[in-house]
């Protein structure tokens, strides 16, 4: 049975709090390293996109879920990161180890500017302000033709490692994995620091937080900067993987997807961000699978399913909102609690 | 403890078996997607995004066309099987769809892929895995430089817009005409604008005014008023049918006296339902047969749509028909020994191929991957709800 109490601060602060947790994490990492080698390029391409989504969703969750700052501008940060990588890679041939952090930094800088309205606005008004900022940013990259090639878009070469381009989906998976793990661990630790606790205090009641001495201006802007940095890194990896960039890569539909990831995964949870990102990325593929299963025996039904599958997508989100508002993370917590008290039932 | 370990082992086992099943489905045939009795092709259309209405209609055309081909014995004894996937006009959904089609379903080629960004993102995969494809996206830049396995069954938007300009200065000899351009600020609208500018340059002209609008715009008053202010005689529109109808309507409301001209995506029946009588006299440069034209390809498709899909004919079926006719001819010419390279050679052998009237004469070469450089001019006729040809297929001066 896992430990349910702590006898020292070190134990309480440990990232993985029991031998069981550490063992499961080791098994998970081993699977993460071993299983992809057995997968075909199709499933790997889905996993690669899920990896990008994990980083982007964690960034958005830090802002919305942890700090309580509603943002509809995250896709603009992802675009900033993507375009930074594309422009600097194609014009100056800079290496990925410089470009990925640089893309995060450029997005963070934009995040700082976009975050300024958060000092005076909140809730619906902040959502509208961030959405407006996203439209302005979109206008810039869609029309600054000399820099971004406008609506035509740009080609981006895959990153190279030891002189060899990471062309295969498998190579890209192993290239991307450390960034995903690093982003997850950093976010997990960040939420346990003074900054993270200040964010939670702001989310729960900003006036009380200010009364306690938390500098709202500072911490809200830091939240925007960190969130945008994550978006920038996600955008960089996204563009590296797709090998192209254009305004059509960063539509409002993508923003909705990220919001859906938070709702389905669990708002305010790093693990929930991962669940949500993986779920939302896999969902269209699962729907493709259903279409395939129906195709030979029920071709008409298969076509109908092809057309209505977006409705199913929406329905799943509504069902989560109604019946599982804490998302997949809530289920995870339920399962954890069940095992912690097993064989006794908990209430 | 032992029981829980056992449960965990079963759980991991189930995952590995599931993964194994998916790995097993990637088995390859000698030529991917080709057996003695069947050729499997993929189609990636938009069923859930901005082009979903076109996606549904193009699917009907593909279904009807290839069911008729299969009922007639297939191509060299092989039936054609089509697997449809959705891209939602999104690059990432398009790429995963193509990965699935190529690596999981093992298709031989891609019969259609809609949306520019969602199609461009496939090119590396298509070239690497030798997947002959015909996109349903016509910006010229997509095909330059040439990709060995990518062909376009149309003339690019740029050429259509250039033909519209030639109609003014060549067919009408209106050499003093002032021309304005209203275009959607995406790759499709920009391509039309660039073609118009190129054509005007060839005639030693410059536009009197240019107005861009974002996709989804519904109010065109300021754009049209700016055209009036610049006193233009002709407005060239780089837009799809809904936006073109909006501009035409606005032009009538503001009493614009000049001539409005568009390109293929603006020439569908919705122009008449959206613009009503304001559509009368609207001109368009087109590289496809119009609905009312009596061409053999139309007749065959109409019959097939009725027989297999129980559907009536719609203009958007033309995109599915054009791709099908060209791919079909390629498969026929490639012969029984079908490989991606024999298909490419077959398509490159097309010289002024008669597509049954659905396209201008089709020619592909090693350095030109779009079917034609020609477009004709058609006029909207509200009475018949159709477009009537007023000037023949011609290659614009700038593109000769």
């Amino acid at each position: 049975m896992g430990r349910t109490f702590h006898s020292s601060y070190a134990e309480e602060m440990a990232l993985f709090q029991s031998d069981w947790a550490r063992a499961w994490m080791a098994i998970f990492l081993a699977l993460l390293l071993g299983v992809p080698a057995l997968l075909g390029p199709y499933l790997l391409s889905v996993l690669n996109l899920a990896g990008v989504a994990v980083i982007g969703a964690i960034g958005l969750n830090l802002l919305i879920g942890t700090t309580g700052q509603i943002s509809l501008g995250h896709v603009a940060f992802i675009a900033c990161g993507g375009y930074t990588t594309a422009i600097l890679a194609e014009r100056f041939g800079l290496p990925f180890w410089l470009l990925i952090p640089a893309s995060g930094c450029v997005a963070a800088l934009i995040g700082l500017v976009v975050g300024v309205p958060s000092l005076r606005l909140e809730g619906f008004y902040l959502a509208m302000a961030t959405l407006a900022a996203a439209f302005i940013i979109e206008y810039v990259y869609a029309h600054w033709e000399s820099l971004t090639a406008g609506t035509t878009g740009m080609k981006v070469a895959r990153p190279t490692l030891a002189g060899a381009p990471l062309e295969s989906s498998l190579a890209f998976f192993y290239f991307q994995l450390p960034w995903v793990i690093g982003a997850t661990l950093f976010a997990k630790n960040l939420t346990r620091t003074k900054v993270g606790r200040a964010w939670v205090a702001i989310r729960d009641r900003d006036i009380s937080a200010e009364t306690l001495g938390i500098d709202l201006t500072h911490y809200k802007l830091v939240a925007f900067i960190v969130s945008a940095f994550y978006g920038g890194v996600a955008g960089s990896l996204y563009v590296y993987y797709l090998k192209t960039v254009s305004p059509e890569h960063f539509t409002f539909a993508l923003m909705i997807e990220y919001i859906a990831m938070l709702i389905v995964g669990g708002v305010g949870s790093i693990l929930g961000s991962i669940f949500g990102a993986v779920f939302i990325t896999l969902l269209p593929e699962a729907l493709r699978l259903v279409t395939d299963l129906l195709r030979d025996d029920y071709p008409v039904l298969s076509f109908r399913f092809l057309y209505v599958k977006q409705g199913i997508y929406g329905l799943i989100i509504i069902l989560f909102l109604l019946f599982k508002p804490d998302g997949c993370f809530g289920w995870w917590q339920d399962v954890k609690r069940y095992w912690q008290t097993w064989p006794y039932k908990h209430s | 403890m032992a029981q829980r370990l056992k449960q965990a082992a079963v759980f991991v086992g189930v995952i590995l078996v599931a993964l194994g099943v998916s790995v097993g489905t990637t088995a390859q045939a000698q030529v991917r997607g080709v057996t003695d009795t069947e050729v499997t092709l993929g189609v990636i259309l938009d069923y859930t995004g901005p082009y979903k209405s076109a996606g549904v209609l193009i699917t009907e055309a593909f279904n009807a066309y290839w069911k008729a081909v299969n009922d007639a014995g297939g191509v060299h004894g092989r039936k054609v099987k089509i697997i449809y996937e959705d891209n939602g006009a999104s690059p990432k959904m398009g790429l995963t769809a193509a990965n699935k089609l190529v690596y999981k379903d093992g298709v031989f080629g891609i019969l259609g892929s809609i949306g520019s960004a969602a199609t461009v993102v496939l090119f590396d995969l298509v070239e690497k895995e030798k997947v002959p494809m015909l996109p349903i996206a016509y910006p010229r830049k997509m095909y330059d430089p040439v990709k060995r396995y990518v062909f376009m069954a149309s003339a690019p938007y740029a050429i259509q817009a250039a033909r519209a300009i030639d109609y003014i200065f060549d067919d009408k000899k209106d050499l003093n005409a002032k021309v304005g351009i209203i275009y959607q600020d995406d790759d499709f609208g920009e391509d039309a604008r660039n073609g118009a500018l190129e054509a005007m340059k060839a005639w030693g002209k410059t536009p009197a005014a240019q107005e861009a609008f974002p996709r989804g715009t519904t109010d065109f008053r300021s754009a049209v008023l700016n055209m009036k202010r610049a006193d233009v005689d002709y407005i060239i529109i780089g837009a799809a049918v809904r936006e073109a109808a909006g501009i035409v309507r606005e032009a009538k409301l503001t009493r614009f006296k000049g001539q409005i001209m568009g390109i293929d995506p603006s020439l569908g029946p919705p122009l008449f339902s959206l613009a009503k009588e304001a559509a009368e006299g609207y001109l368009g440069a087109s590289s496809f047969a119009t609905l009312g034209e009596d061409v053999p390809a139309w007749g065959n498709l109409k019959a097939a749509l009725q027989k297999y899909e129980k559907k009536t004919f719609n203009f958007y079926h033309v995109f599915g028909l054009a791709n099908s006719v060209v791919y079909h001819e390629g498969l026929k010419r490639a012969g029984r020994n079908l490989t991606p390279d024999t298909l490419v050679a077959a398509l490159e052998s097309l010289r002024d191929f008669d597509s049954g009237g659905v396209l201008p004469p089709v020619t592909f070469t090693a350095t030109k991957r779009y079917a034609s450089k020609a477009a004709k001019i058609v006029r909207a006729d509200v009475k018949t709800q159709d477009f009537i040809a007023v000037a023949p297929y011609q290659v614009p001066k700038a593109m000769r």
Side-chain angles (χ1 to χ4, degrees):
Chain A
M1 187 188 292
R3 298 176 69 161
T4 54
F5 63 91
H6 307 290
S7 55
S8 71
Y9 285 122
E11 274 183 12
E12 192 186 359
M13 291 305 291
L15 204 52
F16 304 107
Q17 297 201 342
S18 67
D19 292 340
W20 266 112
R22 280 185 281 277
W24 274 113
M25 189 46 63
I27 291 170
F28 177 69
L29 276 178
L31 286 174
L32 212 51
L33 288 170
V35 171
L38 305 173
L39 301 179
Y42 163 53
L43 288 178
L44 281 169
S45 74
V46 179
L47 278 187
N48 285 333
L49 289 170
V52 170
V54 164
I55 299 176
I58 290 174
L60 186 59
N61 218 342
L62 287 175
L63 186 62
I64 294 182
T66 310
T67 320
Q69 304 300 296
I70 310 286
S71 168
L72 293 178
H74 199 58
V75 74
F77 304 142
I78 297 173
C80 287
Y83 270 104
T84 303
T85 293
I87 292 162
L88 295 179
E90 293 312 298
R91 297 204 173 183
F92 303 106
L94 296 182
F96 74 85
W97 53 266
L98 203 58
L99 278 180
I100 296 175
S103 300
C105 290
V106 169
L109 200 64
I110 305 290
L112 173 67
V113 178
V114 173
V116 169
S118 72
L119 308 178
R120 298 185 63 87
L121 301 172
E122 52 187 44
F124 176 74
Y125 299 97
L126 179 59
M128 287 300 106
T130 51
L131 182 62
F135 281 129
I136 293 167
I137 294 166
E138 184 199 344
Y139 185 86
V140 172
Y141 61 70
H143 289 85
W144 195 348
E145 287 200 25
S146 58
L147 188 68
T148 64
T151 54
T152 306
M154 301 168 72
K155 286 203 74 167
V156 185
R158 281 271 169 87
T160 54
L161 208 56
L166 302 166
E167 283 299 333
S168 75
S169 289
L170 184 62
F172 195 86
F173 176 83
Y174 287 123
F175 164 76
Q176 183 177 252
L177 190 60
W179 296 95
V180 178
I181 293 173
T184 307
L185 288 177
F186 182 77
K188 184 72 186 165
N189 279 309
L190 190 63
T191 52
R192 291 149 17 110
T193 61
K194 182 183 168 188
V195 175
R197 289 172 202 280
W199 284 347
V200 172
I202 292 169
R203 177 193 68 193
D204 291 346
R205 190 69 182 158
D206 56 353
I207 295 172
S208 305
E210 198 167 21
T211 313
L212 289 169
I214 292 169
D215 183 346
L216 294 189
T217 307
H218 174 75
Y219 286 107
K220 279 186 179 180
L221 286 180
V222 169
F224 267 96
I225 289 169
V226 172
S227 174
F229 182 87
Y230 270 77
V233 171
S236 176
L237 291 168
Y238 186 49
V239 162
Y240 265 141
Y241 184 64
L242 295 182
K243 299 200 273 189
T244 61
V245 63
S246 79
E248 286 187 50
H249 286 59
F250 310 104
T251 57
F252 189 64
L254 186 64
M255 184 67 236
I256 300 297
E257 265 183 44
Y258 274 98
I259 297 285
M261 286 173 199
L262 266 55
I263 292 167
V264 169
V267 180
S269 151
I270 304 300
L271 194 57
S273 312
I274 298 172
F275 286 146
V278 172
F279 187 96
I280 294 293
T281 310
L282 291 185
L283 184 59
E285 305 313 313
L287 296 175
R288 281 192 214 282
L289 189 69
V290 176
T291 313
D292 278 1
L293 292 174
L294 295 171
R295 190 173 52 226
D296 290 335
D297 296 329
Y298 307 98
V300 176
L301 198 60
S302 168
F303 270 109
R304 293 276 174 270
F305 193 78
L306 203 60
Y307 300 153
V308 302
K309 70 180 191 182
Q310 200 180 28
I312 293 169
Y313 186 86
L315 184 67
I316 287 172
I317 291 170
I318 290 170
L319 290 177
F320 263 101
L321 282 170
L322 282 177
F323 300 110
K324 200 66 188 167
D326 49 357
C328 297
F329 180 69
W331 274 328
W332 175 258
Q333 292 285 70
D334 294 345
V335 171
K336 254 175 73 171
R337 267 187 234 116
Y338 173 81
W339 284 107
Q340 277 172 350
T341 57
W342 185 85
Y344 306 107
K345 285 191 175 177
H346 73 284
S347 56
Chain B
M1 169 78 90
Q3 192 184 348
R4 275 210 274 171
L5 277 174
K6 196 175 161 189
Q7 285 171 334
V10 169
F11 177 68
V12 172
V14 167
I15 288 179
L16 288 175
V17 169
L19 292 172
V21 169
S22 67
V23 172
T25 58
T26 60
Q28 297 275 307
Q30 199 172 6
V31 174
R32 189 195 54 243
V34 181
T35 67
D36 282 347
T37 56
E38 198 172 72
V39 183
T40 308
L41 300 177
V43 167
I44 308 174
L45 294 173
D46 177 9
Y47 300 113
T48 53
Y51 310 126
K52 60 187 165 207
S53 49
V56 172
L57 291 165
I58 295 168
T59 300
E60 288 172 5
F62 280 142
N63 267 337
Y65 184 94
W66 292 99
K67 278 179 185 169
V69 169
N70 287 341
D71 278 1
V75 188
H76 295 296
R78 294 187 179 106
K79 299 287 168 73
V80 176
K81 178 185 171 188
I82 303 179
I83 299 175
Y84 296 91
E85 293 295 343
D86 174 34
N87 67 10
S90 137
K92 69 174 179 143
M93 274 180 75
L95 187 61
T96 50
N99 271 303
K100 175 184 173 285
L101 287 171
V102 173
Y103 295 118
K104 182 168 179 287
D105 301 323
V107 298
F108 170 75
I110 295 177
L111 183 57
S113 167
I114 204 165
S116 310
T119 299
V120 169
V121 79
L122 313 185
F123 285 170
D124 273 5
L125 171 70
V126 160
E127 292 295 285
K128 183 182 154 210
E129 298 297 339
K130 300 184 177 179
V131 189
M133 83 178 291
L134 266 72
I136 305 174
Y138 310 128
R140 187 173 43 171
K141 280 185 182 173
M142 281 175 60
Y143 303 86
D144 181 25
V146 162
K147 284 98 195 155
R148 179 168 168 75
Y149 297 97
V150 182
F151 295 80
M152 182 219 284
S154 175
Y157 302 127
I159 285 177
Q160 294 170 16
R163 177 68 182 94
I165 296 291
D166 274 24
Y167 176 75
I168 300 166
F169 297 123
D170 194 5
D171 299 53
K172 299 275 285 180
K173 311 284 184 214
D174 196 353
L175 292 170
N176 295 319
K178 291 170 81 174
V179 179
I181 304 170
I182 302 178
Y183 62 100
Q184 191 164 290
D185 64 351
D186 59 9
D187 52 350
F188 143 59
E190 296 266 6
D191 198 55
R193 173 203 177 214
N194 291 338
L197 292 177
E198 220 173 291
M200 290 183 81
K201 195 176 169 193
W203 287 98
K205 311 282 183 189
T206 51
Q210 295 186 61
E211 286 288 327
F213 64 86
R215 187 192 290 174
T217 299
T218 51
D219 183 359
F220 295 97
R221 174 148 298 196
S222 66
V224 173
L225 286 176
N226 282 340
M227 292 291 141
K228 279 191 79 174
R229 204 168 294 131
D231 197 24
V232 304
D233 303 300
Y234 292 86
I235 299 175
I236 305 293
I237 302 177
V241 68
R242 193 168 59 89
E243 288 76 15
I247 293 167
V248 166
R249 241 183 3 239
E250 202 57 54
K252 188 172 173 71
L253 287 172
T254 54
R255 296 188 179 140
F256 173 72
K257 299 291 180 201
Q259 176 67 54
I260 302 180
M261 302 182 76
I263 55 174
D264 252 328
S266 69
L267 300 178
L271 184 78
F272 299 108
S273 53
L274 293 170
K276 305 276 189 267
E277 64 275 14
E280 181 65 38
Y282 175 77
L283 295 178
S286 174
S287 298
F288 294 108
T290 59
L291 263 183
E293 267 183 84
D294 185 20
V295 294
W298 263 184
N300 296 340
L301 184 69
K302 277 180 190 169
L305 277 166
Q306 192 58 246
K307 181 176 176 187
Y308 298 106
E309 300 289 300
K310 309 279 180 264
K311 299 284 180 188
T312 52
F313 190 44
N314 185 295
F315 175 74
Y316 290 103
H317 289 132
V318 74
F319 302 108
L321 176 62
N323 277 31
S324 295
V325 169
V326 171
Y327 217 105
H328 189 189
E329 183 62 20
L331 291 175
K332 281 197 281 192
R333 291 191 185 204
R336 182 76 188 159
N337 176 29
L338 179 63
T339 69
D341 289 312
T342 57
L343 182 72
V344 167
L347 289 171
E348 282 182 356
S349 75
L350 295 182
R351 293 285 181 278
D352 290 330
F353 163 66
D354 178 5
S355 60
V358 69
L359 291 164
V362 176
T363 299
F364 292 117
T365 68
T367 55
K368 182 179 83 67
R369 284 300 198 245
Y370 32 90
S372 172
K373 287 183 174 179
K376 64 184 172 190
I377 303 296
V378 297
R379 183 177 60 79
D381 183 51
V382 172
K383 195 174 166 194
T384 58
Q385 301 274 295
D386 199 5
F387 297 90
I388 295 157
V390 293
Y393 279 121
Q394 194 173 296
V395 179
K397 183 179 174 182
M399 281 82 182
R400 279 169 205 157

